[in-house]
Amino acid sequence: MTETSAPAAVLADFDAYTQAVETVTSAARAYYGGAESTVDDDTYDRLLRGIGEYESAYPEHVSADSPVGKVAAGALATGDVRHTVPMLSLDNVFDPEGLAAWAASLGRRLGRPAAALSVEPKMDGLAVAVRYREGRLEQLVTRGDGIAGEDVSHAIGTIEGLPDRLPEPVSVEVRGEVLLTAEQFEQANEIRREYGAPVFSNPRSGAAGTLRAKDRPYVVPMTFFGYVALPFPDDESAFAEELRAADHSEVMRRIEEFGVLTTGRTAARLRVCADVEQVQAAVDEIAALRAELPFGIDGIVIKADTAADQRDAGLGSRAPRWAIAYKLAAVHKITRLTGVDWAVGRTGVIAPRAILDAVEIDGSVVGFATLHNPADIERRGLMIGDQVSVYKAGDIIPRVEAPLVHVRTGDETPIEFPVVCPQCGGGIDKSQQRWRCVRGRACGLHAGIRYAVGRDQLDIEGIGGRLVTQLVDTGTVTDLADLFTLTREQLLALDRMGDASVDKLLAGIEQAKSKPLSRVLCALGVLGTGRSMSRRIARHFATMDAIRAASEADMADVEGIGDGKAPKIVAELVELAATIDKLVAAGVNMTEPGASPAASAAAATDAADTDADADAVAIVAAEGPLTGQAVVVTGAMTGPLAALSRNEMTELIEQAGGRASSSVSAKTTLVVAGDKAGSKRAKAESLNISIMTPEEFAELVRALLPA
Ligand code: IVH
């Protein structure tokens, strides 16, 4: 994972040198300005080191624009809030040898090896200084040029991990990174799509744009992770003195106790090491966790842990001598866009997908990436043959960022948009940003049926892709409801279907008839709804009849739907009327266990009367051991819950009268934290929310668990 020794670029002559200086400074300008990167991190580091080597060989050629030795490669404009002490950058190493050399030089400077070294992730976000005065969150300042930064206090209240108040009236400046977690990034793009704004191409530029944005009609939540805490220079309080004397790992513990988020409780928490061998092992450990962390990291930071060692090592002009960044290979890579294909999804949406020259990114080979929708392709001005920067982090689907326009050869060709549906040859409805086959879900039937029989929907075993193809291609199944009237004879007539497999399949179909309404609704594939929305609708209305009778205004009352989505959902239900009628006739259950429409209506009115908070217009659930609880599940489930999917956990919570949510907030009342629970657990602890193990939780809801 960590063999990232990016060799310095060899700059053969003065021209190559000036070119490299120009490339690096413009890339730095884009990067620090939060725009699309113009070169990937590896290339950037190689060029920067090449420039350094060229300058040592030809000091007389050094350009005034040289990025070497400048904070942010000299790219930044000065903002208007002066930092109490400069916000420095970090020097980099790329491999074990570089790390060992740094540790040795630190040892020489101290006259002995460092007493202890701490190792922690280098978050890939925006550096900010967060000022707490007498326990109150007062100001948020970007790094800017390191001497002064921009006041972005308007973002207070939208950043998780930064409480408004500390539990003690102390003054402290916490420095750290503001970023979008993988979940927040997806959420941000969903919101932006709804508002017709261009999607963010990566979490980093999303966070940069969001931190500065002032007048957006919507909120994009971000997350803060602290990595340094300083007293104000003139503060002589006991707390300030304590902070000055404390070791780095101790300081981090203190701010964590205050409820400020650090990486302390994520799997990549700070490790304190005794020597460079232990440091290298810790670096390897954190690097190996990279793909599963809920936020992007671009390296690992090693710091002299004790206050005395930090003081004795001192600061350079650009970076402290007591810390170093061990850079990891980029998750951005440059590769070639060789084509675009257009696939028809289960609801008939026609989605473009980039075909790329395969490239390894963060441990996996990427050959395809999403391109969102045709408007997005046009906005980016992509062409076939373009060199493009591709981004991937954690389990986020790879995305194409910007084309590298300056390296075009002239041989690039325009991307052709389909004029007819690529699946059925029919017309395309282009009235929305996402194009859709005019036949809608009839065209996406293969994918639709496969989705409907999936584990989290109707959970019918024994229907694989091949069988679905046969059923659809022979016209045996023309919609979801036809599955429920399949006969023995019809099934036996298909390839590879013997008595035993037909029996099993028919039994599975029979069982599916009694699934809760929420699953049936989800299986129908109503455009604009997924699993959780289907559950909310089913709980809100309790019966299919009530759902079908709902006006747009009624539908807009369901949490998370609102006026924007309601008309689409109502229209979809009309479009699905014939299929729903057939499902009813086939004896498929159309009620949601535990929900009752009367209760829903009453509770919605109550909540509207007493609480202006939209979130509080609760989905009414059954009475049960979790009545009134807002529950978040995180980490891997064990014991009696080990086999449950997240969707099944959510169903369980709702059956027990609770409300499930995916993120921890002040409204959360219980967190079920399994193995490898990360930031959600940390957040729950910081907010003093009850935390249970999966086993404890299983005990609480025992009556509802399958025997
Ligand atoms: S310590 C005085 N620790 O990386 C030194 N920095 O490339 C302060 N960063 O400017 C930096 N994670 O914005 C430190 N765990 C971490 C970090 C971290 C990310 C950022 C920080 C710094 C930049 C240098």
Side-chain angles (χ1 to χ4, degrees), residues 407-678:
V407 297
R408 281 203 174 136
T409 61
D411 293 336
E412 295 75 18
T413 54
I415 293 173
E416 283 181 28
F417 289 11
V419 285
V420 293
C421 169
Q423 176 119 322
C424 71
I428 299 177
D429 172 2
K430 300 182 181 174
S431 60
Q432 308 283 320
Q433 283 214 342
R434 294 189 212 191
W435 289 3
R436 197 176 176 208
C437 172
V438 291
R439 291 179 57 229
R441 57 176 50 75
C443 182
L445 193 59
H446 285 101
I449 299 287
R450 279 211 301 279
Y451 177 78
V453 301
R455 180 175 173 190
D456 289 330
Q457 286 69 248
L458 297 173
D459 195 16
I460 305 178
E461 272 183 51
I463 307 192
R466 193 198 314 257
L467 185 60
V468 172
T469 305
Q470 286 191 68
L471 290 170
V472 171
D473 290 354
T474 56
T476 317
V477 165
T478 61
D479 66 7
L480 174 63
D482 287 342
L483 278 183
F484 291 94
T485 50
L486 286 172
T487 62
R488 261 190 100 69
E489 294 64 42
Q490 279 175 319
L491 289 170
L492 283 169
L494 301 172
D495 283 353
R496 298 172 193 234
M497 291 298 282
D499 281 321
S501 36
V502 168
D503 285 345
K504 189 171 154 215
L505 183 52
L506 286 172
I509 292 172
E510 198 50 40
Q511 268 185 2
K513 288 184 183 170
S514 53
K515 293 282 178 211
L517 172 62
S518 53
R519 285 182 173 236
V520 178
L521 190 62
C522 186
L524 278 165
V526 178
L527 203 58
T529 70
R531 283 195 288 266
S532 60
M533 190 66 81
S534 301
R535 265 195 306 269
R536 285 185 223 161
I537 297 172
R539 291 231 151 251
H540 189 95
F541 294 104
T543 67
M544 184 61 98
D545 285 343
I547 294 177
R548 298 174 82 177
S551 66
E552 289 179 8
D554 297 336
M555 192 56 78
D557 275 347
V558 177
E559 184 196 356
I561 292 188
D563 294 337
K565 273 190 175 171
K568 282 185 215 149
I569 296 177
V570 171
E572 281 278 296
L573 288 162
V574 171
E575 193 182 304
L576 285 160
T579 306
I580 299 173
D581 288 341
K582 280 163 72 181
L583 286 168
V584 173
V588 174
N589 169 58
M590 292 289 162
T591 58
E592 186 66 4
S596 78
S600 300
T605 325
D606 276 1
D609 284 349
T610 55
D611 195 333
D613 185 343
D615 256 351
V617 181
I619 313 307
V620 173
E623 279 294 312
L626 295 177
T627 300
Q629 302 260 29
V631 187
V632 172
V633 176
T634 177
M637 292 299 102
T638 45
L641 308 178
L644 300 191
S645 67
R646 271 293 187 269
N647 186 55
E648 288 165 331
M649 282 297 291
T650 302
E651 288 180 346
L652 182 61
I653 292 163
E654 290 178 353
Q655 277 161 20
R659 180 170 171 278
S661 137
S662 60
S663 60
V664 177
S665 74
K667 294 193 197 96
T668 310
T669 58
L670 173 66
V671 169
V672 184
D675 283 353
K676 301 216 172 109

Side-chain angles (χ1 to χ4, degrees), residues 88-90 120-123 127 143 177 227 301 303 320 322:
L88 297 182
S89 187
L90 291 170
E120 63 193 74
K122 182 171 185 299
M123 280 74 67
R143 177 163 66 172
E177 299 278 302
Y227 53 65
V301 183
K303 297 174 183 168
W322 44 262

Side-chain angles (χ1 to χ4, degrees), residues 57 78 184 211 224 454 534 650 682 699:
T78 300
Q184 287 172 334
L211 192 58
F224 174 85
S534 301
T650 302
E699 194 51 37

